Amino acid sequence: MTTAQPYLCKYLPAILNACGDKKSSKDLKAVCAAASKNICKHLSLNGLRDIVQTLINAQDSFQSKTGTRLAALSAIATFSETAPEQLGFALTQIVPEISKSVVDTDPEVCKVGEAALTAACDVIGNRDLEHMTGPIVRSVTHPDEVKDIMHKLAGVTFVSSVESPALAMVTPLLIRGLQSGVTTTIRQSAVIIDNMAKLVNNPLDAAPFMGLLIPGLEKATQTLSNPEARGVAEKTLAAMNKLNLLVEKEKARAKEVDLDNVIAAIKAKVPAPTDDGTFIHHVGQIACSLMSLRKFDAESWKEVAKFIAILDSAKAATIVEALRVECESMVAPLPSNDDEGDEDGEELCNCTFTLAYGTKILLHNTPMRLKRGAKYGLLGGNDSGKTTLMRSIANGAVEGFPDPAEVRTVFVEADILGELSHLSCVDYVLEDPRLKDAKREDVMAVLNSVGFVEGGKAQPNNAVSTLSGGWRMKLALARAMLQKADILLLDEPTNHLDVLNVQWVMNYIISLKNVTAIMVSHDSRFLNTVCTNIMQIDRLKLHQYRGNLNSFIEKNPEAQSYFSLKKTKLSFKFPEPGPIDGIKSRSKALMKMVGCDFTYPGNTKPTLFNITIQVSMASRVGCVGENGAGKSTMIKVLTGEVVPQTGDVWKHPNARIAYVAQHAFHHIEAHLDKTPNEYIRWRYADGSDKESLVKVSMILTDAEKKLQITPSVLSWKGSDGKLVSAKKVIGSITGQRRQVKNDFEYEVIFQGETRSAEGIYLDSKTLNKIGWEKEVKAIDTRIAQSAGQYVRTLSSAMVEAHLGDVGLEAEFATHYRMSALSGGQKVKVVMAAALWNQPHILILDEPTNYLDREALGALANAIEGFGGGVVIISHNSEFVSQCCKEEWLMDAGHLTTKGESGWMDRVEGDMKEQEAITVMEDAFGNKSAVKTKKKMSKREEKVYLKAVKAKIDADIDLDEEEYEFATENNLF
């Protein structure tokens, strides 16, 4: 067969033509059909290349007869068993032509064509799509089923690399989906294209399909009326355009397989046969097939050796080896312009791996090289897998990464485990299992070297719970220093740090000449100063570049979006807070601290000295200062997280406050087994915020407990309206509240008595004096929070939409447990949970931690458009300057205020008319009318004012509407 094969391939067109020639007898047609099938069946593996065009030409319905087409289709099907890899490579050419046969008017051609197409598609070599071959082929003959097949394909989780055979099979279906005119089908096509494109390892595999898919996506972005579906199409189009740039870049580097050059190389090495060139031509085609498949191992080229041996058996092995080397050099790509080239220095790691979290692929078949002493900045959008990659390296979960005995890695993060927060700084470090043999004096020496000294801002023997965020990061770095790492993995090392401490961290990392560092940071100055290399996660690949951040951005300008607040397509939306009864001006204080001092237990020196501040719905405050200056402590006092030793703290009874703490994850650390959606529904299940009641300021002291059980002379109105006085002990407060003049009264039940029908109400001042102040505040908080939840139901759908408003995709909001979320995603969860009750004041302590620049830009824009007050603690000066006009400067517990504290007064002194809520919508879309006040004419208002004033003078109780009117018009 070897000697005859070149000539059989040459005469295959004639044999196929005879199969359909009218002049051929029935017996001759049958013999020719069997012959063509046998030739293909016994052809050597890479001989397909020499006849593939012959088989395709035979499908021309205008030139070829039915018998010829049937014989060619049957021949193609045989290669799925004899040369599957070679057939897979040819699918780009074959599939479009066979697809025409499948819908031919001749039933027999349709039947054989469908069998051939199925056999051809069986060789795609993609495990994710193997089960879809039948439905995809069926979509050619049953276009009405495209919609259902697209649904099935959209449900495929793509894990395997996507190569040209898989793309050849799926592309016709995707084109039909894009052309369907059905919004859901077009959207699904875009999603599938995006998912598959991410897993294309070699851009050249996608080259034949870019011109087929991009026009359809462009049309979808212009014609889809549904904004969400159009957004999906736009996202996919952007990704495809980006992939197309890579395709063009690789095409510029690639050298095409040139048959003429290969034939010339063969002729130069072997004696020419006496034929017309058929033999050498066929050998050249086999060599070209091996070159196209990038098969340059000696074993594969034995197929060529069989043919060369016919011409020169003595030197065949030597000739083939020389030919193999020359052919490999013919297609060796040109050097890349990327600066990922070799660098001097010891190589710590050189591996290729795939990384997933649950069902989500983060990195796919991507290489990673690390050099000793290099400092790598790791870039990528939120949810791209930066933190997961570093954790996986630290945990030894990256395939091919060196064993910990060879390369020691340490993951540095500032979060303190809750169960260890009571330990001193020294004991906390010693608690690390990797430092069990460390000496206490060595730990103390390292802590001293980073600033933990007796009498300083942070003391080594004080509990870690007393540390500010900046000192927690320095503690984490000190612990890492003791472990003598080869590779330091630093997740946001400048989080919580002021300018001085950021400089200290930069100097420290630069000084580590023999230690490699991989760093995730959104601080562009830090990355520019420290980094020698940049690694970028983009479309499931890890790309490496030499140089710092600026040199990287010069080559990749689109990466500027990681670091510019302005350049963001992401948008957050905060719920409007709504009005507060009796508050007409946005600049009227809703929270106050007056003359407050605070000292942490165990400390002798106060953290806060004589602090007086106030916050209104007009406030845009940036709180700044060094680490340990007392910023977070002041906010904790203001929000009731802790209680000051001296001074007063006040909050308007109807004001709703959202507080996202500096160590934001403490809000959710006990609920990591819940999804974000489940967590928010649990937190607000009874109409109030469970978190707001778990505060030191809401826990009764011994003195308050004693006051509550001490009999006091109390006065209240009896059932007849007359004042009653008696010495009583209050057993409980029911939670009912009513408004009387300019105060609230709360229903109580006396000890040993039952609840009366008309209820017994006492005013807040009386209750505060006898130890019930905290219960009163709790009732006020519940009522205020319930008012914030009136216009939406605590349903899964509505919570999912709310989480989407702060940038958390539905997939992560409802289907992922919080333990599986990244730091940026967890911050979004905490923020969304705090915002659920539509707060009037939003307090954010270090909100920039863990959020990338795109999310920060969205956050800044949301704050700018928010109708309530905002207080921000941050070391990110760009973020604070964009959001805040007023500044609180903390210095060693002392406060200085500057800036425009009344800026909103001058812009809009009075409260804007709040948009009236006329309809409430529940979780099922049912709507009900909400009663609204009628606007009175001047004459009606004058008459109403007179009537209300008469009631006040006669000491007659006012209803809620009358009381609000009296308050607004100063009638009391």
Side-chain angles (χ1 to χ4, degrees):
M1 177 70 180
T2 302
T3 305
Q5 181 172 305
Y7 305 101
L8 290 171
C9 289
K10 178 181 179 180
Y11 293 109
L12 181 62
I15 297 171
L16 289 171
N17 285 334
C19 293
D21 195 334
K22 288 182 179 180
K23 296 179 182 179
S24 300
S25 66
K26 186 176 180 181
D27 290 341
L28 178 60
K29 288 179 180 179
V31 169
C32 288
S36 61
K37 192 169 184 178
N38 274 319
I39 289 170
C40 294
K41 187 175 181 181
H42 294 95
L43 208 62
S44 64
L45 281 178
N46 290 282
L48 172 61
R49 182 185 172 98
D50 198 15
I51 62 169
V52 68
Q53 195 58 50
T54 297
L55 297 173
I56 289 172
N57 292 341
Q59 297 309 311
D60 188 335
S61 58
F62 293 102
Q63 300 294 327
S64 302
K65 303 299 182 182
T66 299
T68 299
R69 297 175 67 193
L70 291 173
L73 289 169
S74 297
I76 288 171
T78 64
F79 287 108
S80 67
E81 294 181 7
T82 61
E85 189 175 5
Q86 289 72 12
L87 178 61
F89 184 81
L91 283 187
T92 305
Q93 302 167 264
I94 290 174
V95 166
E97 299 304 322
I98 303 183
S99 297
K100 295 174 187 176
S101 300
V102 173
V103 291
D104 196 82
T105 54
D106 187 317
E108 190 176 3
V109 172
C110 288
K111 182 180 178 182
V112 177
E114 187 170 346
L117 184 59
T118 302
C121 289
D122 278 340
V123 304
I124 60 170
N126 188 295
R127 286 175 295 176
D128 305 329
L129 289 170
E130 284 173 350
H131 69 289
M132 290 297 298
T133 300
I136 289 174
V137 171
R138 184 175 171 80
S139 72
V140 179
T141 54
H142 297 77
D144 56 314
E145 295 183 13
V146 167
K147 183 178 177 181
D148 291 334
I149 294 168
M150 291 298 294
H151 271 290
K152 293 178 182 176
L153 190 57
V156 172
T157 300
F158 289 96
V159 177
S160 304
S161 295
V162 173
E163 297 173 339
S164 62
L167 291 170
M169 181 181 82
V170 175
T171 295
L173 175 63
L174 296 174
I175 292 172
R176 285 193 289 276
L178 290 173
Q179 295 173 344
S180 68
V182 180
T183 297
T184 54
T185 303
I186 295 171
R187 182 190 181 281
Q188 285 171 334
S189 297
V191 169
I192 295 163
I193 292 169
D194 188 46
N195 289 341
M196 293 186 71
K198 288 176 183 174
L199 295 174
V200 172
N201 280 338
N202 182 0
L204 292 177
D205 280 335
F209 312 101
M210 304 308 287
L212 299 173
L213 295 174
I214 287 178
L217 287 168
E218 287 174 339
K219 184 179 179 181
T221 63
Q222 296 162 7
T223 58
L224 284 174
S225 58
N226 182 293
E228 192 275 338
R230 187 170 62 251
V232 171
E234 287 171 348
K235 177 186 171 187
T236 301
L237 178 60
M240 288 292 281
N241 283 332
K242 196 168 184 179
L243 177 58
N244 202 31
L245 289 175
L246 293 176
V247 168
E248 295 303 320
K249 184 177 177 182
E250 288 302 308
K251 283 168 74 173
R253 291 180 58 225
K255 297 177 184 176
E256 291 188 7
V257 176
D258 190 310
L259 176 60
D260 290 339
N261 289 342
V262 174
I263 289 175
I266 296 172
K267 285 181 175 179
K269 294 175 175 58
V270 298
T274 56
D275 67 3
D276 58 358
T278 298
F279 193 91
I280 296 294
H281 179 275
H282 185 71
V283 177
Q285 288 283 31
I286 292 173
C288 286
S289 176
L290 289 165
M291 292 162 71
S292 297
L293 294 170
R294 296 300 185 266
K295 288 182 174 293
F296 295 106
D297 58 287
E299 184 65 28
S300 296
W301 281 72
K302 285 182 178 179
E303 183 177 347
V304 177
K306 291 178 182 178
F307 292 92
I308 299 297
I310 294 172
L311 301 177
D312 190 339
S313 58
K315 299 178 180 177
T318 305
I319 293 170
V320 170
E321 178 58 20
L323 181 64
R324 182 187 67 79
V325 171
E326 186 173 348
C327 288
E328 185 172 9
S329 67
M330 287 182 190
V331 292
L334 296 170
S336 171
N337 291 325
D338 290 348
D339 45 4
E340 300 178 17
D342 291 337
E343 301 173 60
D344 295 332
E346 177 189 350
E347 189 174 81
L348 292 180
C349 164
N350 189 350
C351 61
T352 299
F353 64 97
T354 292
L355 183 67
Y357 203 111
T359 59
K360 182 179 174 67
I361 301 293
L362 300 172
L363 288 163
H364 183 265
N365 199 30
T366 190
M368 179 172 67
R369 295 180 65 208
L370 301 176
K371 295 283 187 174
R372 183 176 292 282
K375 308 297 184 285
Y376 299 90
L378 179 58
L379 306 184
N382 268 0
D383 314 334
S384 61
K386 302 184 297 294
T387 301
T388 303
L389 172 59
M390 294 204 297
R391 285 191 186 280
S392 299
I393 292 172
N395 296 334
V398 171
E399 184 182 356
F401 197 85
D403 188 89
E406 301 172 32
V407 177
R408 189 165 191 174
T409 60
V410 176
F411 187 46
V412 182
E413 56 182 341
D415 285 338
I416 303 294
L417 296 173
E419 63 269 22
L420 303 178
S421 61
H422 64 286
L423 297 176
S424 71
C425 297
V426 177
D427 291 330
Y428 179 80
V429 172
L430 288 168
E431 195 70 21
D432 192 306
R434 291 167 294 185
L435 294 172
K436 58 185 178 182
D437 297 326
K439 296 179 181 178
R440 193 176 189 85
E441 54 269 27
D442 293 338
V443 173
M444 187 68 81
V446 171
L447 287 174
N448 289 343
S449 72
V450 300
F452 288 83
V453 293
E454 294 297 337
K457 288 181 180 177
Q459 301 180 43
N461 291 309
N462 281 2
V464 293
S465 58
T466 65
L467 297 178
S468 67
W471 284 102
R472 290 187 182 201
M473 179 53 75
K474 293 182 84 170
L475 179 64
L477 282 168
R479 184 174 58 179
M481 290 165 68
L482 285 159
Q483 295 179 48
K484 298 180 174 61
D486 293 301
I487 299 176
L488 275 180
L489 306 163
L490 301 117
D491 192 7
E492 299 289 358
T494 60
N495 273 2
H496 312 290
L497 297 181
D498 56 29
V499 175
L500 294 176
N501 280 310
V502 169
Q503 187 62 52
W504 178 89
V505 171
M506 289 193 298
N507 293 340
Y508 170 68
I509 293 173
I510 291 170
S511 72
L512 300 172
K513 301 301 182 185
N514 291 315
V515 176
T516 299
I518 302 176
M519 300 156 287
V520 172
S521 177
H522 296 112
D523 185 336
S524 53
R525 175 173 168 264
F526 173 80
L527 293 176
N528 267 325
T529 304
V530 172
C531 291
T532 61
N533 300 70
I534 296 294
M535 294 195 296
Q536 181 193 25
I537 296 176
D538 184 42
R539 297 190 65 76
L540 310 187
K541 297 294 180 186
L542 190 63
H543 305 280
Q544 296 195 29
Y545 303 83
R546 285 205 297 271
N548 65 3
L549 180 65
N550 281 345
S551 62
F552 169 73
I553 289 177
E554 283 177 17
K555 299 180 181 71
N556 303 273
E558 71 279 2
Q560 183 64 46
S561 62
Y562 294 143
F563 303 95
S564 172
L565 294 183
K566 295 289 185 183
K567 295 183 180 180
T568 177
K569 293 181 181 178
L570 189 64
S571 64
F572 290 176
K573 179 184 174 185
F574 289 174
E576 284 302 310
I580 299 180
D581 290 345
I583 302 295
K584 295 181 67 177
S585 171
R586 295 188 68 189
S587 60
K588 188 165 184 177
L590 297 183
M591 303 178 78
K592 289 181 182 178
M593 281 173 62
V594 181
C596 291
D597 293 351
F598 179 79
T599 306
Y600 278 105
N603 290 1
T604 56
K605 184 181 178 182
T607 302
L608 302 178
F609 298 88
N610 193 30
I611 302 295
T612 297
I613 53 173
Q614 68 177 39
V615 185
S616 70
M617 289 178 72
S619 295
R620 292 290 187 276
V621 180
C623 187
V624 297
E626 291 184 9
N627 290 130
K631 304 182 297 296
S632 296
T633 302
M634 178 177 69
I635 296 302
K636 287 179 180 178
V637 173
L638 179 65
T639 57
E641 296 284 317
V642 295
V643 181
Q645 282 78 22
T646 60
D648 296 314
V649 181
W650 173 85
K651 178 181 79 68
H652 190 287
N654 289 334
R656 296 184 293 275
I657 313 300
Y659 173 44
V660 178
Q662 182 185 67
H663 311 295
F665 301 161
H666 93 266
H667 294 284
I668 59 173
E669 63 184 11
H671 307 280
L672 295 177
D673 59 341
K674 295 183 176 73
T675 67
N677 198 315
E678 290 169 343
Y679 167 67
I680 291 179
R681 285 186 284 126
W682 165 84
R683 181 165 162 176
Y684 291 95
D686 60 359
S688 61
D689 182 0
K690 293 183 176 71
E691 292 269 350
S692 68
L693 302 178
V694 187
K695 296 180 179 178
V696 173
S697 61
M698 301 301 284
I699 299 171
L700 293 177
T701 63
D702 290 339
E704 287 168 330
K705 290 177 182 177
K706 187 176 180 181
L707 271 176
Q708 287 185 0
I709 61 175
T710 303
S712 304
V713 176
L714 304 174
S715 300
W716 66 96
K717 282 186 179 180
S719 57
D720 56 2
K722 294 182 179 179
L723 202 63
V724 179
S725 294
K727 205 170 190 178
K728 295 281 189 179
V729 173
I730 296 174
S732 63
I733 300 182
T734 64
Q736 295 298 311
R737 185 184 78 177
R738 69 184 183 188
Q739 201 162 8
V740 179
K741 296 185 179 179
N742 60 345
D743 195 9
F744 289 106
E745 290 184 346
Y746 302 82
E747 186 183 16
V748 301
I749 300 175
F750 294 133
Q751 197 173 69
E753 299 181 15
T754 57
R755 188 177 185 179
S756 61
E758 66 280 359
I760 297 171
Y761 286 82
L762 298 177
D763 62 76
S764 61
K765 291 178 182 176
T766 300
L767 291 168
N768 292 348
K769 288 178 184 176
I770 58 175
W772 291 89
E773 180 180 6
K774 289 172 181 173
E775 281 80 355
V776 167
K777 284 183 178 178
I779 292 168
D780 290 339
T781 299
R782 284 194 185 99
I783 292 172
Q785 289 170 353
S786 297
Q789 297 183 56
Y790 179 57
V791 294
R792 53 184 175 178
T793 304
L794 191 67
S795 66
S796 178
M798 289 195 172
V799 172
E800 183 177 289
H802 175 69
L803 285 159
D805 285 342
V806 294
L808 192 68
E809 295 176 16
E811 179 72 12
F812 300 105
T814 304
H815 305 291
Y816 274 64
R817 290 185 175 183
M818 291 190 289
S819 58
L821 301 184
S822 69
Q825 291 169 327
K826 287 177 181 175
V827 168
K828 291 174 185 176
V829 173
V830 173
M831 197 177 302
L835 287 165
W836 174 258
N837 68 355
Q838 298 173 263
H840 298 100
I841 303 293
L842 175 61
I843 300 174
L844 302 169
D845 194 348
E846 295 286 5
T848 60
N849 294 340
Y850 300 103
L851 292 180
D852 63 17
R853 298 293 275 206
E854 190 172 23
L856 280 183
L859 177 59
N861 293 335
I863 288 171
E864 188 176 337
F866 180 51
V870 179
V871 179
I872 298 168
I873 298 176
S874 180
H875 292 115
N876 188 320
S877 57
E878 182 187 1
F879 181 78
V880 171
S881 64
Q882 180 171 332
C883 298
C884 304
K885 304 297 182 182
E886 180 183 356
E887 189 174 293
W888 294 347
L889 176 60
M890 286 294 293
D891 183 15
H894 297 275
L895 177 68
T896 304
T897 61
K898 58 181 181 178
E900 303 180 32
S901 58
W903 70 284
M904 284 296 284
D905 307 18
R906 294 190 286 280
V907 176
E908 47 178 348
D910 296 328
M911 282 281 281
K912 278 186 178 177
E913 185 89 26
Q914 295 289 332
E915 185 177 347
I917 298 167
T918 57
V919 176
M920 173 191 173
E921 185 173 348
D922 66 17
F924 302 101
N926 302 313
K927 298 179 179 180
S928 56
V930 177
K931 184 179 177 182
T932 56
K933 290 189 293 185
K934 177 186 173 185
K935 185 164 181 167
M936 293 181 284
S937 67
K938 287 189 177 180
R939 179 181 177 82
E940 290 171 329
E941 188 174 347
K942 190 173 181 181
V943 172
Y944 191 63
L945 186 147
K946 191 173 180 180
V948 172
K949 197 168 188 313
K951 276 190 171 186
I952 293 171
D953 292 341
D955 202 23
I956 299 172
D957 286 345
L958 305 179
D959 64 27
E960 187 174 340
E961 193 171 306
E962 290 169 336
Y963 180 82
E964 183 180 340
F965 179 82
T967 303
E968 290 174 356
N969 291 276
N970 299 314
L971 300 184
F972 291 114

